[in-house]
Amino acid sequence: MKKTYAIMMAMFAFFIFAGSVSAASMKKNNPYPTENCGANGMSDSFIIVGFKNYPPFSWVERDEELFAERNIEVFKYQGFILDPLKQSLKDINIIWTKDLFFDDFKDAQKSMLHGKADLLFTSYYIDESKSGQDYIYPAYFGNPFIVVSRNTKKIDVQDPSELKGLKGVVRREEEVESLIRGILPTDTKLDVVDGPETAFRMLLSGEADFMITSPYAADAEAKRFKIKDKLHFGNKVIRHIKYFMAFSKMSDCRQYKDVFAEKFNERFKNKAEVEKLIHKYIKIWVDKHTDEPPLEYVPAQDLVASAPFVQTGQMSTSAAQ
């Protein structure tokens, strides 16, 4: 009986030892996640969040391939940052991701603070103690904010103080208002509106003198609406914003920050290629809307006076009228 017991204990010890060696060997050969954070479909998905409607950086659209195959409507992020992000996740065996969307970007930031999302892919720097975010350094992309005006009433400033007494417009989804309000003169009026259509209409109709925006976002939307020739892009940066990847400090997946950062940062070393990539996605966004008519608006008086005919959507308005 004692001999049988001893044999059983020896076998048990052998299996425990073998299992430990096997696990250690697997960890050595594959240091990336295998049991959680969307790895190989073995657990909950890795949750990402970002700007919902901010081409060319990111936007939300239906997964047409899945809809054609299964008639299931699933929406996903698309845009400049998504390919490098998801490829870097795949490099560390995270292949199942879930895209979390919020209409208000402040809610996206709150989702990180409360651990409802694992990674925010368009984060600008906020004090880590307040944001709940663990940033990946360096920032992967710089997004300068400039002054855009009508080409018939160009506004070129060297300093924000030169916007004194003027009226501007900014897009709510750009989250620019809180970042530039403090640098504008106190008598500069600033309207915050939803969507590029409203912002461009205000500018082109004369309701606003200028628009503060990203040159990449303005380029994408101006080409989409076929109004680029009506606009003047200032060359002075009003405020320079840097975008970071950031893990939620509440996320269990934060343990993979370093291995992810290594893969992701490698993709952003070549700045010339990064610039090509963002212009590629500007073109993708514009091509999606190529069949749409030009933006309709009531032209400002300076626009009307500048040319015999002014395009207002599908109609032409004669200056003589």
Side-chain angles (χ1 to χ4, degrees):
M1 185 74 175
K2 290 182 179 180
K3 184 177 181 180
T4 302
Y5 178 76
I7 292 172
M8 290 178 63
M9 290 301 293
M11 292 178 66
F12 178 74
F14 171 78
F15 285 122
I16 291 294
F17 174 75
S20 299
V21 171
S22 176
S25 176
M26 287 178 65
K27 187 173 182 180
K28 181 178 180 181
N29 294 330
N30 182 14
Y32 305 131
T34 55
E35 295 180 353
N36 56 7
C37 296
N40 300 321
M42 297 175 65
S43 67
D44 291 338
S45 297
F46 183 90
I47 301 174
I48 63 174
V49 65
F51 286 123
K52 182 180 177 182
N53 184 27
Y54 195 31
F57 297 100
S58 60
W59 65 88
V60 175
E61 64 180 33
R62 187 172 70 180
D63 188 329
E64 296 298 341
E65 184 176 335
L66 186 62
F67 184 73
E69 289 178 357
R70 304 182 188 179
N71 199 32
I72 298 174
E73 276 200 325
V74 174
F75 290 85
K76 64 178 182 178
Y77 284 111
Q78 176 64 286
F80 155 70
I81 193 56
L82 274 303
D83 279 347
L85 165 60
K86 293 197 173 180
Q87 285 300 321
S88 299
L89 289 173
K90 286 179 182 178
D91 286 346
I92 59 171
N93 293 342
I94 295 178
I95 60 175
W96 295 97
T97 58
K98 179 180 178 181
D99 297 5
L100 189 62
F101 315 120
F102 292 99
D103 290 328
D104 190 332
F105 187 65
K106 289 184 175 62
D107 291 330
Q109 293 172 318
K110 289 177 184 177
S111 74
M112 295 288 288
L113 185 61
H114 300 300
K116 294 180 180 179
D118 297 305
L119 183 140
L120 177 61
F121 58 80
T122 44
S123 180
Y124 50 84
Y125 186 82
I126 305 172
D127 188 329
E128 292 190 27
S129 63
K130 298 178 181 179
S131 68
Q133 297 175 38
D134 188 0
Y135 298 96
I136 290 175
Y137 295 97
Y140 66 86
F141 195 80
N143 189 24
F145 285 98
I146 63 169
V147 172
V148 175
S149 54
R150 296 186 298 280
N151 63 7
T152 52
K153 191 178 180 182
K154 296 177 183 178
I155 298 177
D156 283 307
V157 299
Q158 296 303 308
D159 188 89
S161 63
E162 297 173 51
L163 297 173
K164 179 179 174 62
L166 299 178
K167 183 176 181 180
V169 61
V170 295
R171 294 168 52 188
R172 192 182 312 279
E173 61 273 18
E174 283 199 86
E175 283 298 312
V176 63
E177 190 265 347
S178 61
L179 300 173
I180 56 96
R181 175 72 76 174
I183 66 174
L184 296 177
T186 55
D187 65 346
T188 301
K189 296 179 181 179
L190 196 66
D191 281 347
V192 183
V193 300
D194 293 312
E197 300 101 317
T198 303
F200 278 128
R201 281 196 184 102
M202 286 186 65
L203 180 59
L204 292 172
S205 69
E207 293 179 60
D209 300 303
F210 66 90
M211 177 178 176
I212 295 180
T213 183
S214 156
Y216 301 104
D219 189 40
E221 298 293 16
K223 288 176 179 175
R224 168 198 174 182
F225 292 126
K226 304 169 181 63
I227 55 171
K228 182 75 181 285
D229 62 328
K230 305 291 188 295
L231 302 173
H232 173 70
F233 284 55
N235 55 20
K236 177 66 175 179
V237 175
I238 297 298
R239 180 74 190 268
H240 200 280
I241 306 301
K242 293 184 177 181
Y243 287 140
F244 295 85
M245 287 279 167
F247 276 76
S248 168
K249 290 184 176 180
M250 296 289 288
S251 169
D252 291 338
C253 302
R254 184 185 174 198
Q255 62 186 303
Y256 305 118
K257 174 192 168 187
D258 290 343
V259 289
F260 169 78
E262 180 183 352
K263 299 296 183 181
F264 181 80
N265 286 340
E266 186 65 30
R267 289 184 160 87
F268 278 79
K269 281 186 176 180
N270 189 326
K271 299 306 179 185
E273 290 301 315
V274 172
E275 191 72 13
K276 286 181 183 178
L277 184 63
I278 197 163
H279 285 286
K280 170 187 171 182
Y281 276 94
I282 289 175
K283 186 177 186 304
I284 288 173
W285 179 250
V286 174
D287 288 348
K288 283 179 177 293
H289 302 278
T290 188
D291 294 330
E292 293 180 1
L295 180 72
E296 293 188 2
Y297 60 92
V298 178
Q301 286 303 306
D302 51 271
L303 270 174
V304 172
S306 68
F309 295 94
V310 175
Q311 185 70 39
T312 58
Q314 294 178 317
M315 302 176 292
S316 292
T317 303
S318 171
Q321 294 175 345

